[in-house]
Amino acid sequence: DLTCQSGRVMTLLGPNGAGKTTLLRMIATLIQPQTGCISICGSDTQRQANEARKSIGFITGTMALYDRLTVRETLKYFGRLNGLTVKSVRVRTSELADKLGFNDFMERRIARLSTGMRQKVAIARSLIHDPEVIILDEPTAGLDIVAAVGIMDMIKAYRDAGKTILFSTHRMDEVSLLSDDLAIIHQGTLIYNGTFAAFKTEMTQPSLEAEFIKRVEAG
């Protein structure tokens, strides 16, 4: 069992192949669980998938943006796809451009953007409908330090705005910066589920990395 609360960041941690991405994809309704159930803002992800999706913003390192559209056209398309009015799309696009810093390349085609720029657009696309639940699967992978810090600041701002955030990462510095709650998964099983503050008080190793390795090896 795993519960993510509003106004908090739950970090999902685990070695490669542990099942993190599979879990996040199930929560995001991309694949169905074989057993059990998942509820997003009161909607069952299997029986009420469309309702659940309205509350979800899913951000991954795989951007899959259409090269021929401009940034503005991309956000307009996904905003309208999510049921926003033309006016709402315009307002949200402006808000996200200010927050993520892409005003300078709003009219540029996706094909002409750098990796960091594309990631900002991919994040904005996932947040255009102002979802209550934000799922991030290693969103800073492959980004430079400036772009990564910008994403960290964005996550903190959305947490402070009362959003529910589930964040997967391999980077221990990001765990320390963002975590309110922590779940460690190994071979598809939760081996820790609690607050990050409690985890730190329970540590017997000198670093987060060493503590993580100890717990994974212990199974």
Side-chain angles (χ1 to χ4, degrees):
D1 288 346
L2 186 66
T3 301
C4 304
Q5 303 176 36
S6 59
R8 297 179 70 83
V9 176
M10 171 167 275
T11 301
L12 186 62
L13 199 59
N16 288 334
K20 301 187 301 300
T21 295
T22 298
L23 174 59
L24 295 182
R25 287 177 176 172
M26 286 192 292
I27 294 171
T29 77
L30 298 179
I31 56 177
Q32 291 192 354
Q34 293 176 319
T35 59
C37 61
I38 300 168
S39 178
I40 303 289
C41 297
S43 297
D44 185 279
T45 59
Q46 297 179 75
R47 293 183 291 106
Q48 302 163 296
N50 286 336
E51 285 301 310
R53 289 180 191 125
K54 293 177 182 178
S55 302
I56 298 171
F58 187 34
I59 300 167
T60 75
T62 304
M63 291 170 271
L65 297 167
Y66 186 55
D67 283 346
R68 295 186 181 182
L69 292 180
T70 66
V71 174
R72 188 183 301 279
E73 289 168 342
T74 298
L75 298 183
K76 180 180 179 181
Y77 175 80
F78 282 97
R80 297 291 286 150
L81 193 65
N82 278 283
L84 273 63
T85 64
V86 172
K87 180 180 179 181
S88 296
V89 170
R90 187 164 56 246
V91 171
R92 284 293 293 157
T93 297
S94 178
E95 290 173 352
L96 290 165
D98 289 340
K99 188 170 294 185
L100 293 170
F102 57 82
N103 276 305
D104 290 344
F105 52 89
M106 187 82 78
E107 310 305 333
R108 196 179 304 178
R109 295 191 188 278
I110 300 298
R112 298 179 56 220
L113 301 182
S114 68
T115 299
M117 291 175 179
R118 283 172 176 255
Q119 185 69 320
K120 289 181 179 181
V121 177
I123 290 170
R125 172 193 60 186
S126 299
L127 300 178
I128 190 71
H129 58 305
D130 197 21
E132 289 301 314
V133 178
I134 301 172
I135 303 169
L136 305 105
D137 188 9
E138 300 191 38
T140 62
L143 298 185
D144 62 43
I145 187 63
V146 174
V149 168
I151 292 174
M152 296 299 101
D153 290 342
M154 180 207 70
I155 293 171
K156 292 176 185 177
Y158 275 103
R159 175 196 61 194
D160 295 344
K163 305 295 185 182
T164 301
I165 299 173
L166 181 56
F167 176 73
S168 170
T169 184
H170 279 105
R171 295 182 52 177
M172 293 299 170
D173 57 330
E174 294 179 351
V175 175
S176 298
L177 284 170
L178 293 172
S179 303
D180 298 303
D181 302 305
L182 179 65
I184 300 177
I185 187 170
H186 179 50
Q187 295 181 344
T189 300
L190 279 172
I191 60 174
Y192 180 84
N193 181 15
T195 68
F196 184 55
F199 181 81
K200 289 192 292 184
T201 63
E202 296 170 10
M203 285 176 54
T204 59
Q205 302 299 310
S207 68
L208 283 174
E209 289 88 347
E211 183 70 19
F212 169 71
I213 292 169
K214 185 199 78 170
R215 291 188 182 231
V216 167
E217 288 179 344

